[in-house]
Amino acid sequence: MKPTTALSRNPGQDRQASLISSAASLFAAKGFKGTTTKAIARAAGVSEALVFKYFPTKRALYTAILAEKAPLSELLHAVEEVARKRDDQRVFTLIAGYRIRPGADPTMLRLLLFSALEGHELADMFFGKQHRVFYDYLAGYIRTRIEEGAFREIDPLLAARAFIGMVVHHRLLHEIFDVPLHCPHKEIVSTYVQLFLNGLRHPPTPKKRRLSRVR
C-alpha cells in the first residue's frame, strides 16, 4: 500500500486534514473549553455537519490530532534500530534531536499544556498512548544497560524521566517563552546527551600514580 501524499490525497482526506489542523490550532490558542465545533468548522471553511461526519465524537477528533501532531512509531523504530547495537550516544541523540528539532510546531506542546491544566481527557490519552510508551521503552533500555554493566545502578524510570524532562524544559523555554537559542541545534543536542550520559556511566577508574624511585 502506497503512503498517502499531498498529490495522492483525495478531497475528503484534505478536508479531514484541514479539520485536524484547525482544531489543533484553536485548542492550542483558546483551550478546549473555549473552542466550539462551530469555530472549528468556520476555521476550516466547512459546515459544522461536516465536522461530525468525519469525527462523530470528540474522542475521535482527539485521537486524530494525536496521530497527526504527535507521531511516535517512526521515532521508536529508529531508536530500536540503534538500541540493538547498544549505541547509547545515538539512542539519546535521536530522542533529543527529534523532540527539540528546529522548526518544530509548538501547537502540540501548547495543546498538551491546555489539556493538563483543564483536566481534559486528551492529557490522559497522550500520556497513555505516547509518553508512557516512550518512558517505559527508554527505562527498559537503561535497565538493560545497567544489567550489562554499562551504566551505574540507578532507578531506570527516574533516569528516563530526567532525560525527557530536560528536553521538555528546553522546549518550554524556546517554544512557549520564546527564549532565543544561543548556539546551533546540533551543539545543544550533543551537550544535553553528553551531560546525561556522563551521569549514567560509571566514573573512570583513577589511574595509579607511578612513584619515581629516588636514587
Side-chain angles (χ1 to χ4, degrees), residues 57-79:
T57 65
K58 288 183 177 179
R59 175 168 278 269
L61 178 57
Y62 304 148
T63 300
I65 290 173
L66 286 180
E68 178 77 18
K69 296 293 185 180
L72 187 66
S73 57
E74 289 184 10
L75 176 60
L76 264 180
H77 178 72
V79 171

Side-chain angles (χ1 to χ4, degrees), residues 21 24-25 28 69 99 101-110 171 175:
S21 178
S25 297
K69 296 293 185 180
R99 294 294 185 185
R101 61 194 183 281
D105 183 2
T107 298
M108 193 62 207
L109 185 56
R110 294 179 182 275
R171 291 188 63 194
E175 293 179 26

Side-chain angles (χ1 to χ4, degrees), residues 133-187:
V133 171
F134 207 80
Y135 274 133
D136 289 346
Y137 178 82
L138 187 56
Y141 178 78
I142 293 172
R143 183 180 295 107
T144 297
R145 298 298 280 148
I146 291 172
E147 292 169 353
E148 293 173 347
F151 294 163
R152 63 189 180 88
E153 290 288 337
I154 196 169
D155 186 300
L157 184 57
L158 286 181
R161 288 178 177 175
F163 184 71
I164 300 298
M166 177 173 61
V167 173
V168 170
H169 179 69
H170 176 95
R171 291 188 63 194
L172 282 172
L173 286 177
H174 300 289
E175 293 179 26
I176 303 300
F177 296 106
D178 202 25
V179 176
L181 296 172
H182 65 280
C183 56
H185 174 256
K186 285 186 178 180
E187 186 178 335

